[in-house]
Amino acid sequence: MPSNDILARVAAVIESRKPANGGDPATSYVAKLFDKGLDSILKKVGEEATETVMAAKDGDPQKLVYEVADLWFHSLIALSHFGLKPEQVLAELARREGLSGLQEFAQRSQAKLEEEPND
């Protein structure tokens, strides 16, 4: 099963659970999180990121997979909050493919310099 298929399906479920789309915060965790607002969504992303780091430090591969799944899930909720889709993240990863991390960092640094106003 291609990974972007599952990401797209999960994103579609997340979208359907938004209160604006009929999701009920009383019966849906995702709807409840959207109902609480962006700060609550971001807090969950941060918590899951921390738990991912702790699982990696513990050295338990299965626990790491579990925590990364939680992190990705909550990251998908954050993307949805901003009207973004996982396909956009996959496209960004594809754009970076074959580009060394140092090259990508240099490009971002150069872009920032070009955006700054000249004094």
Side-chain angles (χ1 to χ4, degrees):
M1 168 185 342
S3 61
N4 60 336
D5 288 348
I6 188 66
L7 291 174
R9 287 196 309 271
V10 171
V13 170
I14 288 169
E15 194 66 29
S16 75
R17 303 272 169 84
K18 285 181 172 180
N21 295 333
D24 181 0
T27 60
S28 166
Y29 169 77
V30 172
K32 186 175 184 176
L33 204 50
F34 277 118
D35 197 49
K36 287 182 176 183
L38 180 60
D39 285 348
S40 290
I41 294 168
L42 297 178
K43 182 179 176 185
K44 283 304 295 181
V45 172
E47 287 173 10
E48 298 304 341
T50 299
E51 289 173 7
T52 297
V53 169
M54 291 172 21
K57 295 216 29 109
D58 288 346
D60 181 343
Q62 190 54 43
K63 187 175 178 184
L64 179 58
V65 167
Y66 181 88
E67 294 301 342
V68 169
D70 280 351
L71 177 59
W72 287 12
F73 179 76
H74 288 89
S75 294
L76 288 171
I77 293 172
L79 287 171
S80 180
H81 176 84
F82 290 101
L84 300 169
K85 307 266 185 229
E87 293 82 8
Q88 291 168 275
V89 176
L90 295 172
E92 176 61 17
L93 289 171
R95 183 191 70 78
R96 296 179 187 186
E97 189 174 15
L99 187 64
S100 83
L102 295 175
Q103 288 173 314
E104 202 276 330
F105 180 75
Q107 286 179 354
R108 279 189 284 152
S109 296
Q110 184 61 38
K112 278 186 181 180
L113 287 175
E114 292 171 2
E115 289 174 2
E116 292 177 2
N118 293 331
D119 291 327

